[in-house]
mmCIF file of all heavy atoms in Angstrom:
data_model
loop_
_atom_site.group_PDB
_atom_site.id
_atom_site.type_symbol
_atom_site.label_atom_id
_atom_site.label_comp_id
_atom_site.label_asym_id
_atom_site.label_seq_id
_atom_site.Cartn_x
_atom_site.Cartn_y
_atom_site.Cartn_z
ATOM 1 N N SER A 1 133.542 -144.638 62.994
ATOM 2 C CA SER A 1 132.029 -144.900 62.980
ATOM 3 C C SER A 1 131.492 -144.414 61.588
ATOM 4 O O SER A 1 132.044 -143.526 61.088
ATOM 5 C CB SER A 1 131.272 -144.267 64.099
ATOM 6 O OG SER A 1 131.749 -144.974 65.392
ATOM 7 N N THR A 2 130.470 -144.989 61.158
ATOM 8 C CA THR A 2 129.688 -144.450 60.055
ATOM 9 C C THR A 2 129.188 -142.982 60.300
ATOM 10 O O THR A 2 128.924 -142.640 61.465
ATOM 11 C CB THR A 2 128.462 -145.312 59.728
ATOM 12 O OG1 THR A 2 128.752 -146.726 59.498
ATOM 13 C CG2 THR A 2 127.704 -144.772 58.570
ATOM 14 N N ALA A 3 129.279 -142.096 59.215
ATOM 15 C CA ALA A 3 129.061 -140.702 59.414
ATOM 16 C C ALA A 3 130.166 -139.852 59.903
ATOM 17 O O ALA A 3 130.053 -138.695 59.981
ATOM 18 C CB ALA A 3 127.796 -140.419 60.188
ATOM 19 N N TYR A 4 131.338 -140.453 60.281
ATOM 20 C CA TYR A 4 132.462 -139.651 60.613
ATOM 21 C C TYR A 4 132.836 -138.983 59.385
ATOM 22 O O TYR A 4 132.691 -139.419 58.194
ATOM 23 C CB TYR A 4 133.672 -140.636 60.922
ATOM 24 C CG TYR A 4 133.885 -140.842 62.496
ATOM 25 C CD1 TYR A 4 132.780 -140.842 63.285
ATOM 26 C CD2 TYR A 4 135.046 -141.090 62.947
ATOM 27 C CE1 TYR A 4 132.873 -141.077 64.679
ATOM 28 C CE2 TYR A 4 135.289 -141.271 64.396
ATOM 29 C CZ TYR A 4 134.195 -141.304 65.155
ATOM 30 O OH TYR A 4 134.378 -141.529 66.466
ATOM 31 N N THR A 5 133.455 -137.714 59.400
ATOM 32 C CA THR A 5 134.017 -137.065 58.258
ATOM 33 C C THR A 5 135.330 -137.847 57.980
ATOM 34 O O THR A 5 135.878 -138.450 58.790
ATOM 35 C CB THR A 5 134.277 -135.590 58.553
ATOM 36 O OG1 THR A 5 135.315 -135.490 59.611
ATOM 37 C CG2 THR A 5 133.051 -134.897 59.004
ATOM 38 N N ILE A 6 135.714 -137.665 56.685
ATOM 39 C CA ILE A 6 137.023 -138.336 56.225
ATOM 40 C C ILE A 6 138.218 -137.764 57.122
ATOM 41 O O ILE A 6 139.098 -138.495 57.570
ATOM 42 C CB ILE A 6 137.317 -138.064 54.823
ATOM 43 C CG1 ILE A 6 136.038 -138.633 53.960
ATOM 44 C CG2 ILE A 6 138.598 -138.614 54.376
ATOM 45 C CD1 ILE A 6 136.021 -139.996 53.989
ATOM 46 N N ARG A 7 138.133 -136.553 57.462
ATOM 47 C CA ARG A 7 139.237 -135.830 58.366
ATOM 48 C C ARG A 7 139.267 -136.540 59.680
ATOM 49 O O ARG A 7 140.353 -136.920 60.103
ATOM 50 C CB ARG A 7 138.941 -134.484 58.403
ATOM 51 C CG ARG A 7 139.341 -133.450 57.337
ATOM 52 C CD ARG A 7 139.217 -132.007 57.598
ATOM 53 N NE ARG A 7 139.529 -131.172 56.668
ATOM 54 C CZ ARG A 7 138.704 -130.662 55.810
ATOM 55 N NH1 ARG A 7 137.393 -130.929 55.958
ATOM 56 N NH2 ARG A 7 139.055 -129.755 54.768
ATOM 57 N N GLU A 8 137.980 -136.778 60.333
ATOM 58 C CA GLU A 8 138.058 -137.405 61.601
ATOM 59 C C GLU A 8 138.523 -138.813 61.532
ATOM 60 O O GLU A 8 139.210 -139.298 62.482
ATOM 61 C CB GLU A 8 136.556 -137.410 62.102
ATOM 62 C CG GLU A 8 136.082 -136.029 62.457
ATOM 63 C CD GLU A 8 134.501 -135.968 62.837
ATOM 64 O OE1 GLU A 8 133.865 -136.797 62.220
ATOM 65 O OE2 GLU A 8 134.089 -135.046 63.504
ATOM 66 N N ALA A 9 138.058 -139.552 60.434
ATOM 67 C CA ALA A 9 138.481 -140.923 60.332
ATOM 68 C C ALA A 9 139.970 -141.026 60.123
ATOM 69 O O ALA A 9 140.621 -141.916 60.725
ATOM 70 C CB ALA A 9 137.778 -141.624 59.152
ATOM 71 N N LEU A 10 140.669 -140.205 59.430
ATOM 72 C CA LEU A 10 142.057 -140.342 59.062
ATOM 73 C C LEU A 10 142.929 -139.862 60.226
ATOM 74 O O LEU A 10 144.003 -140.319 60.449
ATOM 75 C CB LEU A 10 142.450 -139.427 57.771
ATOM 76 C CG LEU A 10 141.903 -139.951 56.501
ATOM 77 C CD1 LEU A 10 142.195 -138.923 55.390
ATOM 78 C CD2 LEU A 10 142.659 -141.343 56.194
ATOM 79 N N LYS A 11 142.301 -139.144 61.163
ATOM 80 C CA LYS A 11 142.960 -138.762 62.387
ATOM 81 C C LYS A 11 143.105 -139.960 63.332
ATOM 82 O O LYS A 11 144.120 -140.118 63.879
ATOM 83 C CB LYS A 11 142.334 -137.636 63.129
ATOM 84 C CG LYS A 11 142.484 -136.188 62.575
ATOM 85 C CD LYS A 11 141.779 -135.240 63.341
ATOM 86 C CE LYS A 11 141.983 -133.865 62.763
ATOM 87 N NZ LYS A 11 141.120 -132.824 63.470
ATOM 88 N N LYS A 12 142.112 -140.862 63.246
ATOM 89 C CA LYS A 12 142.135 -142.011 64.127
ATOM 90 C C LYS A 12 142.808 -143.176 63.553
ATOM 91 O O LYS A 12 143.488 -143.951 64.238
ATOM 92 C CB LYS A 12 140.660 -142.455 64.382
ATOM 93 C CG LYS A 12 139.860 -141.533 65.161
ATOM 94 C CD LYS A 12 138.745 -142.325 65.835
ATOM 95 C CE LYS A 12 138.065 -141.487 67.063
ATOM 96 N NZ LYS A 12 137.102 -142.327 67.908
ATOM 97 N N CYS A 13 142.837 -143.038 62.226
ATOM 98 C CA CYS A 13 143.764 -144.201 61.429
ATOM 99 C C CYS A 13 144.302 -143.629 60.200
ATOM 100 O O CYS A 13 143.686 -143.526 59.104
ATOM 101 C CB CYS A 13 142.730 -145.346 61.138
ATOM 102 S SG CYS A 13 143.431 -146.743 60.190
ATOM 103 N N PRO A 14 145.524 -143.052 60.292
ATOM 104 C CA PRO A 14 146.109 -142.432 59.102
ATOM 105 C C PRO A 14 146.337 -143.305 57.894
ATOM 106 O O PRO A 14 146.244 -142.966 56.768
ATOM 107 C CB PRO A 14 147.497 -142.033 59.645
ATOM 108 C CG PRO A 14 147.312 -141.835 61.160
ATOM 109 C CD PRO A 14 146.206 -142.943 61.500
ATOM 110 N N GLU A 15 146.395 -144.667 58.217
ATOM 111 C CA GLU A 15 146.600 -145.674 57.059
ATOM 112 C C GLU A 15 145.171 -146.074 56.494
ATOM 113 O O GLU A 15 145.253 -147.107 55.623
ATOM 114 C CB GLU A 15 147.415 -146.867 57.488
ATOM 115 C CG GLU A 15 146.864 -147.721 58.600
ATOM 116 C CD GLU A 15 147.227 -147.203 59.960
ATOM 117 O OE1 GLU A 15 147.479 -145.982 60.216
ATOM 118 O OE2 GLU A 15 147.413 -148.047 60.823
ATOM 119 N N LEU A 16 144.122 -145.607 56.932
ATOM 120 C CA LEU A 16 142.828 -145.900 56.479
ATOM 121 C C LEU A 16 142.756 -145.792 54.960
ATOM 122 O O LEU A 16 143.131 -144.759 54.325
ATOM 123 C CB LEU A 16 141.791 -145.032 57.147
ATOM 124 C CG LEU A 16 140.320 -145.469 56.780
ATOM 125 C CD1 LEU A 16 139.839 -146.796 57.352
ATOM 126 C CD2 LEU A 16 139.372 -144.260 57.224
ATOM 127 N N LEU A 17 142.380 -146.807 54.316
ATOM 128 C CA LEU A 17 142.072 -146.822 52.854
ATOM 129 C C LEU A 17 140.561 -146.457 52.648
ATOM 130 O O LEU A 17 139.715 -147.090 53.022
ATOM 131 C CB LEU A 17 142.360 -148.175 52.339
ATOM 132 C CG LEU A 17 142.093 -148.339 50.846
ATOM 133 C CD1 LEU A 17 142.891 -147.341 49.941
ATOM 134 C CD2 LEU A 17 142.216 -149.869 50.348
ATOM 135 N N VAL A 18 140.474 -145.240 52.055
ATOM 136 C CA VAL A 18 139.051 -144.747 51.733
ATOM 137 C C VAL A 18 138.746 -144.929 50.245
ATOM 138 O O VAL A 18 139.634 -144.411 49.377
ATOM 139 C CB VAL A 18 138.901 -143.196 52.077
ATOM 140 C CG1 VAL A 18 137.494 -142.875 51.774
ATOM 141 C CG2 VAL A 18 139.290 -143.068 53.601
ATOM 142 N N ILE A 19 137.761 -145.769 49.908
ATOM 143 C CA ILE A 19 137.464 -146.003 48.576
ATOM 144 C C ILE A 19 136.066 -145.362 48.134
ATOM 145 O O ILE A 19 135.166 -145.283 49.030
ATOM 146 C CB ILE A 19 137.453 -147.476 48.148
ATOM 147 C CG1 ILE A 19 136.435 -148.278 49.070
ATOM 148 C CG2 ILE A 19 138.838 -148.175 48.404
ATOM 149 C CD1 ILE A 19 136.316 -149.770 48.581
ATOM 150 N N PRO A 20 135.916 -144.848 46.879
ATOM 151 C CA PRO A 20 134.723 -144.185 46.567
ATOM 152 C C PRO A 20 133.607 -145.249 46.426
ATOM 153 O O PRO A 20 133.801 -146.457 46.156
ATOM 154 C CB PRO A 20 134.963 -143.658 45.218
ATOM 155 C CG PRO A 20 136.032 -144.454 44.676
ATOM 156 C CD PRO A 20 136.913 -144.915 45.843
ATOM 157 N N PRO A 21 132.288 -144.911 46.730
ATOM 158 C CA PRO A 21 131.291 -145.902 46.537
ATOM 159 C C PRO A 21 130.932 -146.205 45.182
ATOM 160 O O PRO A 21 131.171 -145.524 44.242
ATOM 161 C CB PRO A 21 130.066 -145.074 47.212
ATOM 162 C CG PRO A 21 130.398 -143.648 47.021
ATOM 163 C CD PRO A 21 131.831 -143.608 47.067
ATOM 164 N N HIS A 22 130.499 -147.480 45.042
ATOM 165 C CA HIS A 22 130.193 -147.962 43.677
ATOM 166 C C HIS A 22 128.621 -148.431 43.699
ATOM 167 O O HIS A 22 128.408 -149.669 43.971
ATOM 168 C CB HIS A 22 131.076 -149.227 43.240
ATOM 169 C CG HIS A 22 132.543 -148.750 43.177
ATOM 170 N ND1 HIS A 22 133.431 -148.986 44.181
ATOM 171 C CD2 HIS A 22 133.203 -148.110 42.145
ATOM 172 C CE1 HIS A 22 134.575 -148.542 43.925
ATOM 173 N NE2 HIS A 22 134.551 -147.958 42.643
ATOM 174 N N TYR A 23 127.752 -147.579 43.569
ATOM 175 C CA TYR A 23 126.385 -147.760 43.886
ATOM 176 C C TYR A 23 125.719 -148.733 42.926
ATOM 177 O O TYR A 23 124.813 -149.470 43.283
ATOM 178 C CB TYR A 23 125.544 -146.471 43.842
ATOM 179 C CG TYR A 23 125.975 -145.499 44.882
ATOM 180 C CD1 TYR A 23 126.718 -144.259 44.599
ATOM 181 C CD2 TYR A 23 125.770 -145.869 46.306
ATOM 182 C CE1 TYR A 23 127.113 -143.466 45.634
ATOM 183 C CE2 TYR A 23 126.144 -145.052 47.404
ATOM 184 C CZ TYR A 23 126.786 -143.873 46.967
ATOM 185 O OH TYR A 23 127.197 -143.055 47.994
ATOM 186 N N ASP A 24 126.281 -148.976 41.702
ATOM 187 C CA ASP A 24 125.577 -149.876 40.743
ATOM 188 C C ASP A 24 125.875 -151.209 41.288
ATOM 189 O O ASP A 24 124.978 -152.161 41.169
ATOM 190 C CB ASP A 24 126.242 -149.720 39.386
ATOM 191 C CG ASP A 24 125.909 -148.492 38.648
ATOM 192 O OD1 ASP A 24 124.886 -147.925 38.990
ATOM 193 O OD2 ASP A 24 126.490 -148.128 37.665
ATOM 194 N N ASP A 25 127.114 -151.556 41.798
ATOM 195 C CA ASP A 25 127.357 -152.791 42.426
ATOM 196 C C ASP A 25 126.429 -153.134 43.693
ATOM 197 O O ASP A 25 125.918 -154.184 43.851
ATOM 198 C CB ASP A 25 128.858 -152.888 42.963
ATOM 199 C CG ASP A 25 129.782 -153.028 41.730
ATOM 200 O OD1 ASP A 25 129.359 -153.454 40.597
ATOM 201 O OD2 ASP A 25 130.911 -152.537 41.854
ATOM 202 N N TYR A 26 126.330 -152.067 44.559
ATOM 203 C CA TYR A 26 125.577 -152.152 45.783
ATOM 204 C C TYR A 26 124.050 -152.480 45.427
ATOM 205 O O TYR A 26 123.414 -153.358 46.008
ATOM 206 C CB TYR A 26 125.571 -151.058 46.681
ATOM 207 C CG TYR A 26 127.083 -150.487 46.884
ATOM 208 C CD1 TYR A 26 127.312 -149.216 47.182
ATOM 209 C CD2 TYR A 26 128.123 -151.424 46.820
ATOM 210 C CE1 TYR A 26 128.558 -148.761 47.461
ATOM 211 C CE2 TYR A 26 129.394 -150.959 47.133
ATOM 212 C CZ TYR A 26 129.689 -149.697 47.458
ATOM 213 O OH TYR A 26 130.872 -149.235 47.627
ATOM 214 N N ILE A 27 123.578 -151.820 44.341
ATOM 215 C CA ILE A 27 122.166 -152.009 44.032
ATOM 216 C C ILE A 27 122.071 -153.453 43.492
ATOM 217 O O ILE A 27 121.013 -154.196 43.666
ATOM 218 C CB ILE A 27 121.675 -150.947 43.097
ATOM 219 C CG1 ILE A 27 121.518 -149.594 43.839
ATOM 220 C CG2 ILE A 27 120.316 -151.372 42.519
ATOM 221 C CD1 ILE A 27 121.473 -148.374 42.820
ATOM 222 N N TYR A 28 123.023 -153.757 42.550
ATOM 223 C CA TYR A 28 122.989 -155.057 41.879
ATOM 224 C C TYR A 28 122.919 -156.283 42.928
ATOM 225 O O TYR A 28 121.995 -157.200 42.854
ATOM 226 C CB TYR A 28 124.078 -155.251 40.890
ATOM 227 C CG TYR A 28 124.254 -156.633 40.318
ATOM 228 C CD1 TYR A 28 123.390 -157.034 39.289
ATOM 229 C CD2 TYR A 28 125.129 -157.525 40.788
ATOM 230 C CE1 TYR A 28 123.490 -158.207 38.695
ATOM 231 C CE2 TYR A 28 125.259 -158.895 40.389
ATOM 232 C CZ TYR A 28 124.392 -159.137 39.118
ATOM 233 O OH TYR A 28 124.456 -160.436 38.631
ATOM 234 N N TYR A 29 123.846 -156.254 43.922
ATOM 235 C CA TYR A 29 123.935 -157.388 44.838
ATOM 236 C C TYR A 29 122.820 -157.406 45.869
ATOM 237 O O TYR A 29 122.274 -158.454 46.257
ATOM 238 C CB TYR A 29 125.309 -157.459 45.500
ATOM 239 C CG TYR A 29 126.301 -157.941 44.580
ATOM 240 C CD1 TYR A 29 127.246 -156.914 43.947
ATOM 241 C CD2 TYR A 29 126.464 -159.230 44.170
ATOM 242 C CE1 TYR A 29 128.264 -157.403 43.034
ATOM 243 C CE2 TYR A 29 127.371 -159.645 43.298
ATOM 244 C CZ TYR A 29 128.248 -158.792 42.650
ATOM 245 O OH TYR A 29 129.241 -159.191 41.723
ATOM 246 N N THR A 30 122.337 -156.238 46.340
ATOM 247 C CA THR A 30 121.350 -156.213 47.359
ATOM 248 C C THR A 30 120.034 -156.702 46.679
ATOM 249 O O THR A 30 119.055 -157.300 47.271
ATOM 250 C CB THR A 30 121.224 -154.837 48.046
ATOM 251 O OG1 THR A 30 120.961 -153.769 46.854
ATOM 252 C CG2 THR A 30 122.353 -154.400 48.819
ATOM 253 N N THR A 31 119.905 -156.244 45.287
ATOM 254 C CA THR A 31 118.695 -156.743 44.678
ATOM 255 C C THR A 31 118.677 -158.209 44.433
ATOM 256 O O THR A 31 117.482 -158.956 44.656
ATOM 257 C CB THR A 31 118.590 -156.109 43.198
ATOM 258 O OG1 THR A 31 118.433 -154.665 43.374
ATOM 259 C CG2 THR A 31 117.316 -156.580 42.513
ATOM 260 N N LYS A 32 119.840 -158.785 44.138
ATOM 261 C CA LYS A 32 119.862 -160.225 44.019
ATOM 262 C C LYS A 32 119.637 -160.972 45.367
ATOM 263 O O LYS A 32 118.935 -161.987 45.441
ATOM 264 C CB LYS A 32 121.311 -160.697 43.652
ATOM 265 C CG LYS A 32 121.702 -160.506 42.112
ATOM 266 C CD LYS A 32 123.017 -160.845 41.786
ATOM 267 C CE LYS A 32 123.270 -162.382 41.814
ATOM 268 N NZ LYS A 32 122.553 -163.033 40.766
ATOM 269 N N ILE A 33 119.940 -160.422 46.420
ATOM 270 C CA ILE A 33 119.738 -160.901 47.750
ATOM 271 C C ILE A 33 118.186 -160.893 48.102
ATOM 272 O O ILE A 33 117.533 -161.920 48.514
ATOM 273 C CB ILE A 33 120.487 -160.127 48.862
ATOM 274 C CG1 ILE A 33 122.006 -160.438 48.835
ATOM 275 C CG2 ILE A 33 119.894 -160.435 50.358
ATOM 276 C CD1 ILE A 33 122.884 -159.622 49.661
ATOM 277 N N LYS A 34 117.628 -159.846 47.743
ATOM 278 C CA LYS A 34 116.208 -159.689 47.991
ATOM 279 C C LYS A 34 115.373 -160.591 47.095
ATOM 280 O O LYS A 34 114.257 -161.069 47.389
ATOM 281 C CB LYS A 34 115.649 -158.246 47.891
ATOM 282 C CG LYS A 34 116.162 -157.348 49.091
ATOM 283 C CD LYS A 34 115.934 -155.907 48.817
ATOM 284 C CE LYS A 34 116.627 -155.063 50.052
ATOM 285 N NZ LYS A 34 116.516 -153.709 49.991
ATOM 286 N N ASP A 35 115.929 -160.835 45.883
ATOM 287 C CA ASP A 35 115.211 -161.748 44.962
ATOM 288 C C ASP A 35 115.252 -163.141 45.581
ATOM 289 O O ASP A 35 114.266 -163.968 45.315
ATOM 290 C CB ASP A 35 115.978 -161.825 43.622
ATOM 291 C CG ASP A 35 115.795 -160.504 42.767
ATOM 292 O OD1 ASP A 35 114.758 -159.937 43.033
ATOM 293 O OD2 ASP A 35 116.499 -160.279 41.840
ATOM 294 N N ILE A 36 116.295 -163.504 46.346
ATOM 295 C CA ILE A 36 116.171 -164.846 47.011
ATOM 296 C C ILE A 36 115.104 -164.845 48.160
ATOM 297 O O ILE A 36 114.346 -165.756 48.184
ATOM 298 C CB ILE A 36 117.618 -165.101 47.779
ATOM 299 C CG1 ILE A 36 118.684 -165.298 46.733
ATOM 300 C CG2 ILE A 36 117.442 -166.310 48.793
ATOM 301 C CD1 ILE A 36 120.041 -165.556 47.291
ATOM 302 N N TYR A 37 114.932 -163.624 48.817
ATOM 303 C CA TYR A 37 113.848 -163.628 49.786
ATOM 304 C C TYR A 37 112.431 -163.793 49.031
ATOM 305 O O TYR A 37 111.542 -164.591 49.570
ATOM 306 C CB TYR A 37 113.818 -162.285 50.462
ATOM 307 C CG TYR A 37 115.102 -161.822 51.199
ATOM 308 C CD1 TYR A 37 115.288 -160.528 51.465
ATOM 309 C CD2 TYR A 37 115.902 -162.826 51.586
ATOM 310 C CE1 TYR A 37 116.453 -160.180 52.181
ATOM 311 C CE2 TYR A 37 117.010 -162.399 52.362
ATOM 312 C CZ TYR A 37 117.321 -161.167 52.594
ATOM 313 O OH TYR A 37 118.460 -160.740 53.256
ATOM 314 N N ARG A 38 112.395 -163.131 47.830
ATOM 315 C CA ARG A 38 111.115 -163.279 47.233
ATOM 316 C C ARG A 38 110.806 -164.615 46.571
ATOM 317 O O ARG A 38 109.615 -164.804 46.067
ATOM 318 C CB ARG A 38 111.030 -162.185 46.028
ATOM 319 C CG ARG A 38 111.085 -160.752 46.640
ATOM 320 C CD ARG A 38 110.925 -159.680 45.556
ATOM 321 N NE ARG A 38 110.976 -158.374 46.144
ATOM 322 C CZ ARG A 38 112.023 -157.550 46.154
ATOM 323 N NH1 ARG A 38 113.160 -158.037 45.599
ATOM 324 N NH2 ARG A 38 112.015 -156.320 46.655
ATOM 325 N N GLU A 39 111.639 -165.580 46.527
ATOM 326 C CA GLU A 39 111.423 -166.900 46.084
ATOM 327 C C GLU A 39 110.547 -167.571 47.055
ATOM 328 O O GLU A 39 109.821 -168.685 46.826
ATOM 329 C CB GLU A 39 112.773 -167.671 46.027
ATOM 330 C CG GLU A 39 113.630 -167.257 44.773
ATOM 331 C CD GLU A 39 114.829 -168.143 44.672
ATOM 332 O OE1 GLU A 39 114.716 -169.315 45.031
ATOM 333 O OE2 GLU A 39 115.814 -167.606 44.137
ATOM 334 N N TYR A 40 110.396 -167.137 48.364
ATOM 335 C CA TYR A 40 109.720 -167.751 49.457
ATOM 336 C C TYR A 40 108.452 -167.057 49.801
ATOM 337 O O TYR A 40 107.534 -167.569 50.405
ATOM 338 C CB TYR A 40 110.593 -167.894 50.713
ATOM 339 C CG TYR A 40 111.795 -168.784 50.396
ATOM 340 C CD1 TYR A 40 113.000 -168.183 50.048
ATOM 341 C CD2 TYR A 40 111.819 -170.118 50.438
ATOM 342 C CE1 TYR A 40 114.117 -168.991 49.674
ATOM 343 C CE2 TYR A 40 112.849 -170.962 50.250
ATOM 344 C CZ TYR A 40 114.102 -170.326 49.835
ATOM 345 O OH TYR A 40 115.193 -171.054 49.567
ATOM 346 N N THR A 41 108.372 -165.652 49.498
ATOM 347 C CA THR A 41 107.141 -164.874 49.811
ATOM 348 C C THR A 41 107.285 -163.684 49.021
ATOM 349 O O THR A 41 108.173 -163.177 48.629
ATOM 350 C CB THR A 41 107.152 -164.505 51.283
ATOM 351 O OG1 THR A 41 106.040 -163.709 51.607
ATOM 352 C CG2 THR A 41 108.422 -163.967 51.722
ATOM 353 N N ASP A 42 105.979 -163.199 48.658
ATOM 354 C CA ASP A 42 105.893 -161.930 48.064
ATOM 355 C C ASP A 42 105.746 -160.642 49.041
ATOM 356 O O ASP A 42 105.847 -159.502 48.718
ATOM 357 C CB ASP A 42 104.664 -161.764 47.078
ATOM 358 C CG ASP A 42 103.367 -161.961 47.744
ATOM 359 O OD1 ASP A 42 103.291 -162.327 48.930
ATOM 360 O OD2 ASP A 42 102.309 -161.820 47.125
ATOM 361 N N GLN A 43 105.890 -161.085 50.367
ATOM 362 C CA GLN A 43 105.813 -160.030 51.346
ATOM 363 C C GLN A 43 107.124 -159.717 51.860
ATOM 364 O O GLN A 43 107.709 -160.111 52.810
ATOM 365 C CB GLN A 43 104.980 -160.563 52.649
ATOM 366 C CG GLN A 43 103.557 -160.907 52.197
ATOM 367 C CD GLN A 43 102.761 -159.733 51.680
ATOM 368 O OE1 GLN A 43 102.690 -158.623 52.393
ATOM 369 N NE2 GLN A 43 102.315 -159.738 50.451
ATOM 370 N N VAL A 44 107.922 -158.865 51.088
ATOM 371 C CA VAL A 44 109.368 -158.340 51.276
ATOM 372 C C VAL A 44 109.151 -156.842 51.324
ATOM 373 O O VAL A 44 108.839 -156.232 50.285
ATOM 374 C CB VAL A 44 110.325 -158.952 50.422
ATOM 375 C CG1 VAL A 44 111.744 -158.277 50.674
ATOM 376 C CG2 VAL A 44 110.269 -160.380 50.350
ATOM 377 N N GLU A 45 109.558 -156.155 52.277
ATOM 378 C CA GLU A 45 109.562 -154.771 52.436
ATOM 379 C C GLU A 45 110.978 -154.276 52.692
ATOM 380 O O GLU A 45 111.581 -154.480 53.725
ATOM 381 C CB GLU A 45 108.646 -154.295 53.701
ATOM 382 C CG GLU A 45 108.619 -152.786 53.940
ATOM 383 C CD GLU A 45 107.793 -152.409 55.099
ATOM 384 O OE1 GLU A 45 107.014 -153.227 55.491
ATOM 385 O OE2 GLU A 45 108.069 -151.286 55.624
ATOM 386 N N SER A 46 111.439 -153.454 51.645
ATOM 387 C CA SER A 46 112.809 -152.878 51.787
ATOM 388 C C SER A 46 112.903 -151.852 52.776
ATOM 389 O O SER A 46 111.903 -151.034 52.952
ATOM 390 C CB SER A 46 113.190 -152.388 50.420
ATOM 391 O OG SER A 46 113.498 -153.429 49.461
ATOM 392 N N PHE A 47 113.980 -151.788 53.556
ATOM 393 C CA PHE A 47 114.249 -150.643 54.418
ATOM 394 C C PHE A 47 115.728 -150.151 54.144
ATOM 395 O O PHE A 47 116.615 -150.500 54.776
ATOM 396 C CB PHE A 47 114.229 -151.119 55.853
ATOM 397 C CG PHE A 47 114.187 -150.172 56.959
ATOM 398 C CD1 PHE A 47 113.081 -149.109 56.831
ATOM 399 C CD2 PHE A 47 115.034 -150.111 58.004
ATOM 400 C CE1 PHE A 47 113.083 -148.210 57.940
ATOM 401 C CE2 PHE A 47 115.037 -149.095 59.051
ATOM 402 C CZ PHE A 47 113.994 -148.216 58.892
#
């Protein structure tokens, strides 16, 4: 589950591949998605 420590996660699944976050990518693509929303309305509230 989200918020598990890495230790807890690897105990449940030793072969789990853990990759570091790439926030620039996440911000880029989530912004592009919200830009699609804004094509239809200016009332878009991020959460």
Side-chain angles (χ1 to χ4, degrees):
S1 297
T2 301
Y4 267 33
T5 65
I6 301 297
R7 286 189 178 93
E8 291 170 334
L10 290 172
K11 284 181 181 178
K12 291 204 166 192
C13 179
E15 63 269 33
L16 180 70
L17 175 61
V18 182
I19 61 177
H22 301 97
Y23 293 112
D24 289 345
D25 289 336
Y26 308 153
I27 292 170
Y28 174 78
Y29 286 105
T30 56
T31 300
K32 284 179 69 71
I33 289 171
K34 289 171 187 175
D35 285 344
I36 292 178
Y37 303 160
R38 294 186 181 99
E39 290 183 30
Y40 300 90
T41 176
D42 61 350
Q43 299 301 299
V44 177
E45 178 184 341
S46 292
F47 194 55

